[in-house]
Amino acid sequence: MEKIVVALGGNALQEAGQPATAESQLKVVKKTSKYISNLIEDGYKIIIAHGNGPQVGRIVLQNEAADNITPAMPFDVCGAMSQGMIGYHIQQALGEELKAKGNNKSVVTLVTQVVVDKNDSAFDNPTKPIGPFYTKEEADRIKEEKGYDIVEDSGRGYRRVVPSPDPKRIVELEAVKNLVDAGFVVITVGGGGVPVVENENGELEGVAAVIDKDLASERLAEDLDADTLLILTAVEKVSLNFGKPNQKDIDKMTVEEAKQYIEEGHFAPGSMLPKVKAAIRFAESKEGRKAIIASLDKARKALKGESGTVITK
């Protein structure tokens, strides 16, 4: 049975222009679950990862807004909260979808810690967007009031950015392996995992950061010896000159071609770049592995080679 790590993008959890409510998120997740259940029905062994940028940002805002009533939780705890919330929605919706199809597979969410290097240079250069989009005026005001790092995000508006260190080790990996081997559909490394560092005593301590979910998904795929890393997003294929009159969609590319395109600056840092970097890492990690970047609604076709962009060594 082919083992596939599926990395869900933001469009799989939240619809642009819709209210950021639990009800709205669950509605979108129910649609997403139909696509994922199709892959399970096709006989693939599926492990699910997902982002949490907007959600963890809003949880932080909620904590800060209520600080005069109850103590605000630290950033790593907010990350764990987002894992539980999003995982709950996915496991409920996907479980119901499988049940409706007569499939008795159980779906489980595992709150996952991911070790990062406390000396990672990312802590000196915040790049990971979280929370809602702001206008230029809103961004300037919030930056002045709260001291946040805020940047323009791929032409979509302004967002707060936090450090995004590289994932080194998944703490609960053995538990994930055991659950997968036992036949569970596992939701793990949600939001890239809760970032932790090891202190001088070897104990784990949470840090204020968000690990990129695509890179965490790649780490997971390697460690589980998956056959394919399937990165699902809002566009059907990776493109050169994206959004320009000379845009060119790519069906297949080698690791070397992908690296060349990165050097030429084709991929936006806040969106496609981490996906392509994750795809490169996985494809070159072991002979025969491949990564696919595709749209959520064409996931099934992408695994059949009929859609998406395939990255191989």
Side-chain angles (χ1 to χ4, degrees), residues 299-310:
R300 203 175 204 171
K301 285 188 172 183
L303 288 176
K304 295 177 180 178
E306 300 170 1
S307 185
T309 300
V310 179

Side-chain angles (χ1 to χ4, degrees), residues 64-279:
E64 291 177 348
D67 193 33
N68 63 327
I69 301 172
T70 184
M73 294 293 104
F75 200 99
D76 59 307
V77 175
C78 292
M81 289 177 177
S82 73
Q83 275 196 19
M85 174 184 69
I86 296 168
Y88 158 60
H89 277 167
I90 297 174
Q91 73 181 38
Q92 183 185 85
L94 183 55
E96 289 298 324
E97 186 65 29
L98 290 173
K99 184 179 177 182
K101 292 182 175 181
N103 190 319
N104 62 358
K105 273 186 177 292
S106 294
V107 186
V108 62
T109 299
L110 186 64
V111 175
T112 319
Q113 303 170 93
V114 176
V115 175
V116 299
D117 184 350
K118 61 184 177 182
N119 298 313
D120 194 308
S121 61
F123 288 108
D124 299 317
N125 180 34
T127 58
K128 183 65 179 175
I130 66 165
F133 288 91
Y134 301 112
T135 64
K136 180 68 164 63
E137 293 72 23
E138 289 172 331
D140 289 341
R141 176 177 54 79
I142 293 169
K143 191 172 184 178
E144 177 72 24
E145 290 177 358
K146 299 183 179 293
Y148 289 167
D149 292 291
I150 297 182
V151 300
E152 194 276 329
D153 183 5
S154 307
R156 298 178 291 181
Y158 292 79
R159 294 177 83 185
R160 179 186 177 186
V161 289
V162 297
S164 184
D166 207 46
K168 298 298 182 184
R169 178 170 66 86
I170 298 168
V171 177
E172 291 79 13
L173 180 64
E174 284 306 309
V176 176
K177 286 181 177 178
N178 289 337
L179 287 165
V180 171
D181 289 344
F184 290 88
V185 179
V186 184
I187 304 162
T188 184
V189 298
V194 179
V196 295
V197 296
E198 292 179 305
N199 64 22
E200 57 274 9
N201 299 319
E203 298 168 334
L204 300 176
E205 296 178 355
V207 291
V210 173
I211 300 169
D212 183 86
K213 74 99 172 49
D214 295 310
L215 296 181
S217 300
E218 190 282 326
R219 179 73 272 160
L220 176 69
E222 272 198 57
D223 292 344
L224 292 179
D225 195 24
D227 301 287
T228 302
L229 172 61
L230 178 61
I231 300 175
L232 299 177
T233 185
V235 294
E236 184 176 347
K237 298 182 181 184
V238 178
S239 302
L240 305 182
N241 306 307
F242 180 73
K244 299 177 181 178
N246 59 338
Q247 175 176 321
K248 179 185 176 183
D249 295 340
I250 304 171
D251 296 323
K252 297 178 182 179
M253 59 180 170
T254 65
V255 164
E256 289 307 312
E257 288 171 335
K259 288 179 178 178
Q260 181 62 39
Y261 295 146
I262 288 175
E263 283 186 22
E264 294 171 0
H266 282 287
F267 309 127
S271 54
M272 189 55 73
L273 181 59
K275 293 174 176 55
V276 174
K277 283 185 174 180

